[in-house]
Amino acid sequence: MRIVVVAPSCTLKREAADAVQAIVDERGDCELVIHPQCFLSDGHFAGPDEARLAALREVMGDPSVEAVWFARGGYGSNRIAEAALADLPDAAGGKLYMGYSDAGFLLAGLHKAGLDVAWGPMPQDALRPDGDISIHRALNWLVLRDRSALEPQLQTPAMAFNLTVLSSLLGTSLEPDFTGIDLMIEDLSEQLYRIDRTMFHVAASENVRKVSRLRLGRVSDILPNDPEFAGDETAIVKHWCARSGIAFGGRADIGHDAHNRVVPFGTAKS
Amino acid sequence: MRIVVVAPSCTLKREAADAVQAIVDERGDCELVIHPQCFLSDGHFAGPDEARLAALREVMGDPSVEAVWFARGGYGSNRIAEAALADLPDAAGGKLYMGYSDAGFLLAGLHKAGLDVAWGPMPQDALRPDGDISIHRALNWLVLRDRSALEPQLQTPAMAFNLTVLSSLLGTSLEPDFTGIDLMIEDLSEQLYRIDRTMFHVAASENVRKVSRLRLGRVSDILPNDPEFAGDETAIVKHWCARSGIAFGGRADIGHDAHNRVVPFGTAKS
């Protein structure tokens, strides 16, 4: 199994790359290539749009690459997603693309283009507390298709998104078909009023209203709301589900932490 | 001219109400009624959804009210906007609705329903530095239709929105027709990466792409971006306009400050 890491959003930290390489060396069950583009830096991004796009297109078109692993989130994959999906090379198929958070823009577009994608931990997660657990879980899915890595209540077809990313891709060319999907959302570093506003937007979508159920992952590092918001994130999501005729399916085991589980998009090829 | 203030979003501060009343008393050219709902408080909001909706519907249906002035922004008008627009009473017409920021959800929906709306200063602005200038400008439009209150380069038909509010109403029942509109946007208290992401979303809309031009008001209190974003807000908006075939029309004299000008939606009835 040959896995290549590229960074369509922000720069990968060297310490994270080293930690992941050490885990891979110890496991000995795959080959890991960390593309040098991961360490570029251009303002907010891991290099200019052109460099991030070129690295992604290079690995998409390489038949020897069996998994494309997105280095980390942050912000920026949306800026190159449409170009990444144009005139797909044959070699773009037959491999798995994995990441989460900002990488959701690419997951959506790649899935829509018929490719095999999964929400799951990324190399930068190695730096979190218990980050090695994340990395092993990711590799257990990428290399072994070990079902214990999966979100435990997953019903297929499924998808998972950062809520703010999901809101930002609605109405764009990246928006996938949500019909019958077990849709999981999570978020971080937002005030509750923003979560409420984003849920208003997402729940208004006729496409999102076609999900089989909506489940709420963790909303972490909630920023202070002045004044205190009435109700927590679960109350907010339930409110908008009820108003919009969406079945609320309870909590989901995803989030910006070491416990973040894998959610293959669509019907998992396991 | 009878003006009634209601608060569809957050609670109006007493000091702001008093300052506006003092200005109105001094001018002596209109009657100002501050609805008691403005001072309700329920978590984040100026009273529960039901109370904010009831106050708004009450003044919409009152033929003696010639202008409905939204007390302030914050967040929450989207939660009652759809219900506010249902089965419109005849008296809802023939009056002007004015506000900005979060009130944009209502401006959009009320305009779409054929009512006369304007982006413009709100009572809470009295507490800003030079806030009295804002209040006089608002009253000069509400009472006198004084064209010196208008955004100086305004071309009709026009609209103005907080960028994040605009992004959040796309795809909802509140989304108006942007064909041929001189569209102005502004924002506050966001990181530049969020401005970039929101512009990606807004500029992807086929509806927004029909504007005659997009102009950028002030983006104030920009929060630290880690790392520094490459480029400022003007570069970001120009970038997405160029990518999306939208004519960038330069800067606009709107924003979350005392200099915020009036932008009547559609073709101004002056």
Side-chain angles (χ1 to χ4, degrees):
Chain A
M1 162 69 70
R2 186 156 185 264
I3 304 166
V4 182
V5 179
V6 291
S9 310
C10 292
T11 309
L12 178 63
K13 287 212 179 357
R14 289 271 178 195
E15 314 90 275
D18 292 345
V20 173
Q21 188 63 62
I23 290 171
V24 164
D25 291 348
E26 183 196 329
R27 289 172 63 110
D29 60 357
C30 60
E31 177 197 356
L32 182 76
V33 178
I34 298 179
H35 195 290
Q37 174 269 321
C38 292
F39 304 112
L40 294 181
S41 177
D42 182 57
H44 192 92
F45 308 108
D49 288 354
E50 296 72 19
R52 303 197 318 283
L53 176 63
L56 177 54
R57 290 288 297 196
E58 176 194 325
V59 296
M60 288 173 75
D62 182 344
S64 78
V65 176
E66 293 164 85
V68 177
W69 198 11
F70 299 124
R72 64 170 296 192
Y75 170 69
S77 74
N78 60 321
R79 294 173 57 107
I80 61 169
E82 203 165 322
L85 296 164
D87 304 317
L88 281 181
D90 286 344
K95 48 177 60 97
L96 176 61
Y97 299 82
M98 192 164 86
Y100 73 106
S101 193
D102 185 70
F105 290 111
L106 284 170
L107 299 183
L110 292 164
H111 171 72
K112 193 174 179 180
L115 305 181
D116 194 13
V117 314
W119 167 284
M122 298 183 288
Q124 180 91 355
D125 286 317
L127 302 182
R128 296 187 187 278
D130 293 325
D132 55 329
I133 297 174
S134 292
I135 302 306
H136 277 292
R137 186 182 306 112
L139 293 168
N140 286 347
W141 184 252
L142 289 172
V143 180
L144 309 171
R145 296 294 193 275
D146 174 355
R147 297 188 65 86
S148 73
L150 297 178
E151 203 284 332
Q153 295 175 279
L154 185 146
Q155 293 175 356
T156 57
M159 294 186 195
F161 285 100
N162 173 273
L163 175 62
T164 303
V165 167
L166 172 59
S167 174
S168 300
L169 65 77
L170 294 181
T172 76
S173 64
L174 306 174
E175 181 178 338
D177 181 0
F178 291 110
T179 306
I181 296 292
D182 182 12
L183 179 61
M184 290 161 248
I185 55 172
E186 59 83 54
D187 219 325
L188 85 162
S189 304
E190 302 283 352
Q191 291 101 339
L192 286 176
Y193 88 85
R194 285 181 185 262
I195 299 292
D196 196 74
R197 186 170 60 194
T198 309
M199 277 304 301
F200 157 78
H201 182 240
V202 166
S205 159
E206 289 301 329
N207 184 9
V208 172
R209 289 178 181 185
K210 293 178 183 154
V211 299
S212 67
R213 62 179 184 175
L214 183 74
R215 289 197 288 141
L216 177 60
R218 287 175 287 283
V219 179
S220 51
D221 182 31
I222 294 174
L223 302 178
N225 206 87
D226 179 25
E228 283 283 307
F229 199 85
D232 64 7
E233 67 272 26
T234 308
I236 289 170
V237 172
K238 280 184 175 173
H239 171 87
W240 288 107
C241 282
R243 278 180 69 152
S244 312
I246 295 170
F248 177 67
R251 302 304 299 251
D253 196 7
I254 62 166
H256 274 70
D257 52 50
H259 304 290
N260 185 32
R261 299 292 195 102
V262 173
V263 179
F265 276 32
T267 301
K269 294 172 192 158
S270 62
Chain B
M1 162 68 72
R2 188 156 184 263
I3 303 165
V4 182
V5 179
V6 291
S9 311
C10 293
T11 309
L12 178 63
K13 288 213 178 357
R14 289 273 177 193
E15 314 89 274
D18 293 345
V20 174
Q21 188 64 61
I23 289 171
V24 165
D25 291 347
E26 183 195 328
R27 290 173 63 109
D29 60 356
C30 61
E31 179 197 354
L32 183 76
V33 177
I34 297 178
H35 195 292
Q37 173 269 320
C38 292
F39 304 111
L40 295 181
S41 178
D42 183 59
H44 191 92
F45 309 109
D49 289 353
E50 296 72 19
R52 303 196 320 283
L53 176 62
L56 176 56
R57 290 287 297 195
E58 177 194 326
V59 297
M60 289 173 76
D62 183 344
S64 78
V65 175
E66 293 164 84
V68 176
W69 198 10
F70 299 123
R72 64 171 296 191
Y75 170 70
S77 74
N78 59 321
R79 294 173 59 108
I80 61 168
E82 203 165 324
L85 296 165
D87 304 319
L88 281 181
D90 286 344
K95 48 175 59 99
L96 176 60
Y97 299 81
M98 193 163 85
Y100 72 106
S101 192
D102 184 72
F105 289 111
L106 283 170
L107 299 183
L110 293 164
H111 171 72
K112 193 174 177 181
L115 304 181
D116 195 13
V117 314
W119 166 283
M122 298 183 288
Q124 180 92 353
D125 286 318
L127 302 182
R128 294 188 188 279
D130 294 325
D132 55 329
I133 297 175
S134 292
I135 302 305
H136 277 293
R137 185 182 307 113
L139 293 169
N140 287 347
W141 184 252
L142 289 172
V143 181
L144 309 172
R145 295 292 192 277
D146 175 354
R147 298 188 65 85
S148 73
L150 297 177
E151 202 283 332
Q153 296 174 277
L154 185 146
Q155 293 175 355
T156 57
M159 293 186 194
F161 285 100
N162 173 272
L163 174 62
T164 303
V165 167
L166 173 59
S167 173
S168 300
L169 64 77
L170 294 181
T172 76
S173 64
L174 306 174
E175 179 179 338
D177 181 0
F178 291 110
T179 307
I181 297 292
D182 181 13
L183 179 61
M184 289 161 249
I185 55 171
E186 59 83 57
D187 219 324
L188 86 162
S189 304
E190 301 284 353
Q191 292 101 338
L192 286 177
Y193 87 86
R194 286 182 184 261
I195 299 292
D196 196 74
R197 186 170 60 194
T198 309
M199 277 303 303
F200 156 78
H201 181 240
V202 166
S205 159
E206 289 301 329
N207 185 9
V208 171
R209 290 179 181 185
K210 292 177 184 157
V211 299
S212 66
R213 61 179 184 175
L214 182 75
R215 288 196 289 141
L216 177 61
R218 286 174 286 283
V219 178
S220 51
D221 182 32
I222 294 173
L223 302 178
N225 205 88
D226 179 24
E228 283 284 307
F229 199 85
D232 63 8
E233 67 272 27
T234 308
I236 289 170
V237 172
K238 280 184 176 174
H239 171 87
W240 288 106
C241 282
R243 277 180 69 152
S244 311
I246 295 170
F248 177 67
R251 302 304 298 251
D253 195 7
I254 63 167
H256 275 69
D257 51 51
H259 304 289
N260 183 32
R261 299 294 194 100
V262 173
V263 179
F265 276 32
T267 299
K269 294 171 191 159
S270 63

